[in-house]
Amino acid sequence: MNSAAELTQLGSIAVITMNHPPVNGLGLDLRTAIVAQLDRALADPQIDAIVLAGGERNFSAGADVREFGTSKPSAAPNLPDVIRALEAAGKPVVAAIAGNCLGGGLELAMGCHFRVALRDASLGLPEVKLGLLPGAGGTQRLPRFIGVESALNMIVSGQPVPAQKLAGTALLDEVVESGVVDTAVAFARQIVADKRPAKLARDIRIKDPLAEPFLQFARTNVAAASRPFPAPLQCVEAVANAVGKPFDEGLRLEREIFAALMASPESRALRHIFAAERAATKLPDVSEVPADMPLREIRRVGVIGAGTMGGGITMAFVDAGIPVVLLETKQEALDRGLGTIRRNYETTMKKGKLTQAQLDERIARITPTLDFSALADVDLVIEAVFEEMSVKRDVFTRLDQVAKPGAILASNTSALDLNEIASFTKRPQDVIGLHFFSPANVMKLLEIVRGAKTGPDVLATCMNLAKRIRKTAVVAGVCDGFIGNRMIARYGAAAGMLLMEGASPQQIDGALQRFGLAMGPFRMADLAGLDIGWAARKRREAEQPGSQPRSAADVLCEAGRFGQKTGAGWYRYEAGKRDPIPDPAVDAIVEQFRRDSGVTPRKISDAEIVERCIYALVNEGARILEDGIAARASDIDVVYLSGYGFPRHRGGPMLYADTVGLANVVRALRRIAAAPGAEAWWQPAPLLVKLAEAGRTFN
Ligand code: 3HC
Ligand code: NAI
């Protein structure tokens, strides 16, 4: 007997239970086991009917995504073969659905003759989120069971629906509160007794006069909303086939589209992101951090500094139901910080996303204080004070005195040396970096910075905490800028060089936005505030004289142009608006700067802009991997996707480099490095060269 699906006999009913952790993914093992158990049940004269069940949490989450990219999904029996076998079975087959019933899992259930579901089971066809469409009959069967409009909404959005919402449709014969397998067994007995014939999807004809106009409407809307992804529109076409073509023809066309989408770069990118996000949750060094390591309990959190970041971090915790003690130095600053938090919640309330009672509850979770000793009983403190080592020293020295033993002491520093910060305490094992991104209550990314002495349980606790506050966490090592900002500094510098050589801020931003970035580097700098980079450059110059040659950005800052907050930066902004308006004053500053530096501007193409800026990111990413700052290339992709608006259809900078081909990236970098004075800056990273020469990829 194959353990991926077990058969038990309850009188004349055979129950086939899928048991393939973690989620009953329909890999070759499970598919083979289902068919083997089905054949056993069909051959047994004592068996009258069959129930197909999964686990409590997962009926099945669909095709086994780990098989994608191998020959296994098409190996016999493939998923359509299994579904055909169920559908053609000579004895009634009843699906007993609990937990996730997604993608191929729902397609499997729809191939059964009847379906019984637990009311909170989650039914959906999320393939579109992986850049695919349901490839085992989902686009043909679901519209026949629940109607074109509902089916199309589920297929195009990929959003699952609780079973109770589908009660009363031909999809579900019964929806129950509990005991789904027992009910399915009783149901199967009744069917046998009543000799009730199966109602197969293939026998249903869609007779909906509104289907055609709805499909036409969907085509227009979906085409506009889903660019650059091809899958959503293909979902509409496949459902249109369910309306207009015979069932088997619809199935054949669906399979064809599925194969084409599977080969598309967009699907590759989305599947990479799915795997990358899950890989990032795994602690980088498993041997050092065992899976069963006891975590520290985090019930109350302290936040120091109620400025831009402290306020957002406080909101992230209270939104997740975790109370916060918020410390400032002066009453005025505390009032200002709390006022901003309240205003942010009021804006959310005006949009109808928060009730007055919820707002009051969240505010009540914040205990404002000016007294350091109020932090004595919190389990975690996050410092978000000014980015100056002397201020951090003062804060961590005092924290070391008041925090209870075992409390985690975290810094939100953007770039300062975490090991030095840890050295201000007598408990460096409890010190960690929690680098949130602005606005901290909105941005998904959290870089968890592991110091040289950070305890493995502290690291594991923070990874777990990230999930509680719904952040995408990535572990980074200590260096200037960690993963994200270290890379963005190179990207920004590449953009700065292009500006010097002849491109305008709007041309550079435009080229990168057309590549897919949410915002080009100059718009992003204006949003973040040019003063932040200016302060960092001054700090680096003080540490390493001569390392920060004067730039046009310095000239802008000297003129008080700090970006959106001052109404002018690389662009100008009208009061209360965020639209960047090209500013001749900036052109004049840049042109003067070029003249002063003896540069004759040249014409630069959009392709060159994208090549230089993105390869600068990739090259630094390779160095970050080499230095062990990131554990995996896919972690870097997660950072850029969740924190920097990198286009999802490209899967992150490292996957993009893989897609272009690392040998091509190295060639381009060498070509750029061959220009006079460019050799050192553009030298390809040794790891990049090594992988390219071996014909390998980052991922
Ligand atoms: N195949 C294989 N493994 C899967 C999987 C799948 N379809 N779905 C999830 N997993 C794995 C995850 O990689 C993770 O593994 P790990 O512990 O080794 O990291 C584990 O299951 C748990 O996953 P999550 O961390 O995501 O757990 P959650 O409880 O948060 O979510 C879930 C569970 C809702 C099932 C979520 O994982 C999910 O949405 N999965 C994807 C479902 C999907 O896209 N199905 C369609 C596949 S394509 C298809 O079916 C094609 C067909 O039409 C032909
Ligand atoms: P901010 O200037 O808006 O706020 C800092 C706050 O800390 C001020 O309200 C100040 O009164 C308070 N403060 C200063 N010293 C204090 C002390 N000893 N005790 C208590 N409170 C004190 O600064 P911002 O932008 O919030 O930055 C804070 C930290 O977060 C810095 O380390 C910064 O590098 C980091 N960071 C900033 C990001 C940003 O986009 N602004 C992004 C990620 C990290």
Side-chain angles (χ1 to χ4, degrees), residues 487 616-626 636 654 687 698:
M487 284 168 69
L617 268 186
V618 171
N619 205 22
E620 195 62 15
R623 293 206 176 89
I624 280 175
L625 275 175
E626 233 162 40
I636 297 176
M654 308 312 268
L687 176 69
F698 284 123

Side-chain angles (χ1 to χ4, degrees), residues 212-429:
E212 259 319 315
F214 178 73
L215 285 164
Q216 202 42 46
F217 166 78
R219 275 189 191 100
T220 316
N221 281 337
V222 170
S226 61
R227 262 189 294 270
F229 293 99
L233 197 56
Q234 293 297 334
C235 291
V236 182
E237 294 312 333
V239 171
N241 292 340
V243 179
K245 297 206 184 327
F247 184 77
D248 286 316
E249 174 69 355
L251 278 189
R252 192 185 62 74
L253 291 169
E254 179 197 75
R255 203 66 193 160
E256 263 179 35
I257 307 174
F258 181 78
L261 288 173
M262 185 62 95
S264 70
E266 292 82 6
S267 174
R268 182 182 180 206
L270 292 177
R271 286 181 278 126
H272 167 72
I273 296 171
F274 180 84
E277 285 177 348
R278 280 153 187 82
T281 66
K282 308 279 185 296
L283 291 163
D285 190 339
V286 188
S287 58
E288 204 186 317
V289 189
D292 56 356
M293 159 139 344
L295 303 183
R296 300 192 189 182
E297 227 178 304
I298 308 292
R299 287 202 210 95
R300 256 159 79 81
V301 169
V303 174
I304 308 182
T308 311
M309 294 309 291
I313 294 169
T314 300
M315 290 175 75
F317 281 97
V318 299
D319 287 352
I322 303 171
V324 172
V325 178
L326 180 58
L327 175 86
E328 259 292 348
T329 43
K330 295 205 178 72
Q331 189 62 45
E332 194 193 330
L334 195 53
D335 292 343
R336 200 178 331 117
L338 281 168
T340 307
I341 292 175
R342 182 178 280 282
R343 262 197 314 284
N344 286 338
Y345 281 136
E346 280 166 355
T347 308
T348 314
M349 191 171 75
K350 279 189 200 122
K351 289 183 193 155
K353 292 183 187 159
L354 199 72
T355 64
Q356 180 70 48
Q358 285 169 324
L359 183 153
D360 294 341
E361 202 184 340
R362 290 187 195 190
I363 297 287
R365 283 190 198 124
I366 306 171
T367 308
T369 184
L370 299 174
D371 179 5
F372 240 90
S373 62
L375 298 174
D377 68 341
V378 300
D379 307 300
L380 158 73
V381 190
I382 303 170
E383 153 288 299
V385 302
F386 303 133
E387 184 80 335
E388 276 170 42
M389 200 49 108
S390 59
V391 188
K392 308 281 189 199
R393 173 197 290 271
D394 176 51
V395 165
F396 275 83
T397 309
R398 294 179 70 183
L399 267 182
D400 199 23
Q401 287 156 7
V402 302
K404 68 182 181 189
I408 297 176
L409 312 181
S411 172
N412 181 49
T413 179
S414 310
L416 296 179
D417 182 348
L418 186 80
N419 294 328
E420 190 178 345
I421 293 177
S423 76
F424 304 143
T425 73
K426 288 183 224 54
R427 36 175 138 172
Q429 74 282 358

Side-chain angles (χ1 to χ4, degrees), residues 451-513:
K453 296 187 178 157
T454 304
D457 62 329
V458 170
L459 185 64
T461 300
C462 290
M463 297 285 281
N464 183 274
L465 183 68
K467 249 192 222 165
R468 279 173 70 195
I469 59 170
R470 292 184 208 92
K471 297 291 176 200
T472 304
V474 174
V475 176
V478 177
C479 67
D480 193 344
F482 315 121
I483 299 174
N485 285 346
R486 175 169 157 183
M487 284 168 69
I488 208 81
R490 299 290 284 190
Y491 163 87
M497 288 188 253
L498 287 161
L499 181 81
M500 272 300 280
E501 290 175 33
S504 66
Q506 47 275 26
Q507 189 199 352
I508 296 171
D509 284 351
L512 288 159
Q513 284 159 204

